[in-house]
Amino acid sequence: MGLLLFGLSWGGFVETAWYVALVVFGLGMLIFVHELGHFLVAKLCGVKVEKFYLGFDIAGLKLVKFVCGETEYGVGILPLGGYVKMLGQEDNPARLREEIERAKLQEPRAEGSAAGVQAEAPGPEAPTGAGQPPVDLAQAEQALFDPRSYLAQSVPERMAIISAGVVMNVLFAFLTGVLAYRLGVFQNACGVGSVAPGEAAWQEGLKPGDEIVAINGKPAHRFADLQHQVSLGDIEHGVPMVIRRPGVPKPLTVTLAPDRRGLAPTIGITSPFEPELSRKLPSLPGSAAAKAQPRLLGGDKLVKIGDTVIADYADVHRQLALHPEEPLTVTVERLATDGGTPAAKPGHIATVVGPQPMLWLGIEMGIGPIVAVQDDSPAASAGVEPDDLLVAIDGGPVGDPLTLADRLRRVAEKGGRVELALQRAGQRRTVRVAPRRPEWYETPFREKSPMSVPALGIAFEVSRRVEAVASGSPAEAAGVRPGNVVTQAKIVPPSPERLEALGYGDQIERLDTEVTAIDFEKHKVTWPFFAAYLLQFALPESRVELTLAD
């Protein structure tokens, strides 16, 4: 994770600095190409180029300089452009001639004074008032009359030199455009990779694998189209979308009311993923996937899970949701080795990946009110509404809100029903619900995400007040007690030396060893986001530091 929510961690600083460096490099290339045009054409015309600079050397200040031949090259202190200085280059040549005339009038006057002779006063056309700087006559005449001077060139040559910068930029843009077109630019499709619990897309029942084909009546092809249309759409009344769902013959039409709590309106989805393992870190150290034999490598493409052929990431998502507690036989297509080089024998490799246990501190927090109910869900059919508070299940306590989804999933797999006791404004009512078997798993991956129960189709808040502490748990050993309120939390990974001792030395550069620190009030982060999402990415032997208030 490597974030100091939402301050700037070292990892975030490095990433920001990298993007700033890319912008500076891009602008520098544009300036360099522009000035290179002036430089090359001036050289072709025989003009003496005195300076070639990126940035301006204000007051002689520069970052670097060197002389090669007759030209001084350098980088100026002020990064607002660049320039090529040619002999005789003057925006107003008449001014240079005036300076030469003034210098000639100054010379005899100085000689006459030395001999005691009164020099003739200059006329009004050549003023020599006090305060004007002395002129180097030889240098000025050279600039005007030297055959290698810019001013000594013909009009067409001077026009070519001045126009060369713009022409060079046009040629550079054309060539880079052709190169980019040949290489191709990856664009995320306008579809659904994952859905944030409780938000607009979740409430309307959007699923991983859905393809968004139209927004606001306009065709959508890229994920950037979605971001653009949502920002410009009707925020108050919702944004209409046409959805194509695999296995459903007719397109679906939904209207989503974007969430405006962030910097930009969102509907709570991520762009589609590919069923291919990350080349940087294909599996998290210590996880079930990391223990699989044969090993999973970066770039492996998932082609089968069990007997199910994987066509896209939605198939992976569904298989993981349907088999959360079973070892899975995963077949991958391997094209490269761990070092990224082509594999000696490309082909399909099968490996068994066990279930991944949820990392748990042993803290049971209080459940908060329901914030959203999915359309066409068991909860909606039973009349459950936002602002209801779930106070009991089958006559007993609700228990840990973070494990509620898993408990009701097991009820759904057995075809059972549950009795939910709900409370609103002091009034209590009971409803019976038949949970559905979830075909998609849900993760509170956004900072403000509530916890959800896919088997019911509800999302609810979770407080940070400790209701119970499990016996023998890390929380009990650390002295956490019921009634404590968690105000801050830090995930502190092991040191690089310890990771190396654990056998992860070859992966240290790929791992995020930054401290993940959260101030829940300041950063407006929910407990599910921390405990059910961030904590699950903790490296082996990480520790959690909690700040508690009573």
Side-chain angles (χ1 to χ4, degrees), residues 424-484:
R424 176 198 287 263
Q427 301 295 319
R428 182 165 173 155
R429 73 183 194 279
T430 301
V431 298
R432 288 192 63 80
V433 182
R436 63 188 175 190
R437 186 180 184 186
E439 294 188 357
W440 314 99
Y441 66 84
E442 297 174 0
T443 306
F445 61 87
R446 287 163 67 93
E447 294 85 2
K448 299 178 182 179
S449 287
M451 196 64 195
S452 65
V453 179
L456 296 179
I458 62 173
F460 50 83
E461 295 179 353
V462 178
S463 76
R464 288 179 283 105
R465 185 179 186 276
V466 179
E467 298 295 331
V469 179
S471 176
S473 67
E476 183 186 54
V480 180
R481 298 289 181 265
N484 290 153

Side-chain angles (χ1 to χ4, degrees), residues 39-62:
F39 176 82
L40 293 177
V41 177
K43 285 290 190 180
L44 287 174
C45 292
V47 176
K48 178 181 179 181
V49 179
E50 298 176 334
K51 286 187 176 184
F52 186 135
Y53 265 72
L54 293 179
F56 300 114
D57 49 337
I58 302 298
L61 298 175
K62 50 187 72 69

Side-chain angles (χ1 to χ4, degrees), residues 395-412:
V398 174
D400 186 357
L402 299 190
T403 64
L404 180 58
D406 193 55
R407 286 181 276 136
L408 291 183
R409 172 188 61 79
R410 297 180 184 182
V411 173

Side-chain angles (χ1 to χ4, degrees), residues 308-379:
T308 302
V309 176
I310 302 300
D312 53 31
Y313 178 75
D315 292 333
V316 179
H317 203 286
R318 188 170 187 271
Q319 291 303 310
L320 295 180
L322 291 174
H323 308 284
E325 297 177 311
E326 306 169 25
L328 297 175
T329 300
V330 178
T331 303
V332 300
E333 181 181 13
R334 178 159 300 167
L335 300 177
T337 66
D338 199 23
T341 57
K345 295 181 179 180
H348 289 185
I349 296 174
T351 186
V352 177
V353 180
Q356 175 66 26
M358 180 178 179
L359 297 179
W360 187 56
L361 300 177
I363 299 175
E364 180 183 312
M365 297 298 191
I367 189 170
I370 294 171
V371 294
V373 179
Q374 269 184 326
D375 293 346
D376 301 324
S377 65

Side-chain angles (χ1 to χ4, degrees), residues 25-271:
F25 176 77
L27 292 175
M29 281 299 297
L30 290 176
I31 295 168
F32 173 77
V33 167
H34 181 90
E35 299 302 333
L36 183 63
H38 294 309
F39 176 82
L40 293 177
V41 177
K43 285 290 190 180
L44 287 174
C45 292
V47 176
K48 178 181 179 181
V49 179
E50 298 176 334
K51 286 187 176 184
F52 186 135
Y53 265 72
L54 293 179
F56 300 114
D57 49 337
I58 302 298
L61 298 175
K62 50 187 72 69
L63 297 177
V64 64
K65 77 165 186 175
F66 64 93
V67 177
C68 182
E70 62 186 10
T71 305
E72 178 184 312
Y73 301 87
V75 178
I77 195 68
L78 187 63
L80 295 180
Y83 70 94
V84 168
K85 174 66 173 67
M86 295 170 281
L87 175 65
Q89 185 179 11
E90 171 60 56
D91 293 335
N92 184 1
R95 178 181 166 191
L96 185 60
R97 291 181 180 275
E98 291 176 1
E99 291 296 292
I100 293 174
E101 294 299 324
R102 181 167 70 85
K104 288 180 177 179
L105 290 171
Q106 285 179 341
E107 280 193 344
R109 176 174 163 183
E111 294 170 0
S113 299
V117 179
Q118 179 69 34
E120 183 180 354
E125 71 280 4
T128 60
Q132 295 194 35
V135 179
D136 187 331
L137 179 59
Q139 183 178 357
E141 287 186 329
Q142 181 191 18
L144 189 58
F145 301 114
D146 193 301
R148 298 194 62 201
S149 168
Y150 168 76
L151 294 176
Q153 310 309 306
S154 65
V155 172
E157 288 177 323
R158 280 182 281 165
M159 290 179 62
I161 293 171
I162 293 301
S163 304
V166 175
V167 173
M168 195 73 163
N169 282 139
V170 172
L171 291 175
F172 181 69
F174 175 77
L175 293 174
T176 53
V178 170
L179 178 61
Y181 181 80
R182 288 183 62 85
L183 293 175
V185 178
F186 178 80
Q187 295 284 354
N188 285 319
C190 194
V192 181
S194 56
V195 183
E199 299 195 31
W202 179 89
Q203 294 180 43
E204 290 291 337
L206 266 65
K207 302 176 180 179
D210 286 349
E211 180 185 357
I212 302 174
V213 296
I215 308 169
N216 286 326
K218 299 179 180 179
H221 304 288
R222 304 172 301 167
F223 196 75
D225 296 334
L226 171 68
Q227 297 169 316
H228 179 72
Q229 292 296 331
V230 167
S231 298
L232 297 180
D234 189 340
I235 306 299
E236 296 296 332
H237 301 94
V239 179
M241 299 182 185
V242 178
I243 309 296
R244 183 182 294 132
R245 177 167 293 168
V248 178
K250 292 184 178 180
L252 310 174
T253 301
V254 298
T255 300
L256 305 181
D259 175 21
R260 295 184 295 175
R261 290 178 294 178
L263 297 176
T266 63
I267 60 172
I269 66 172
T270 65
S271 58

Side-chain angles (χ1 to χ4, degrees), residues 292-314:
Q293 293 295 331
R295 288 179 57 197
L296 294 170
L297 303 182
D300 283 353
K301 184 177 180 180
L302 279 65
V303 294
K304 287 180 67 177
I305 295 182
D307 296 327
T308 302
V309 176
I310 302 300
D312 53 31
Y313 178 75

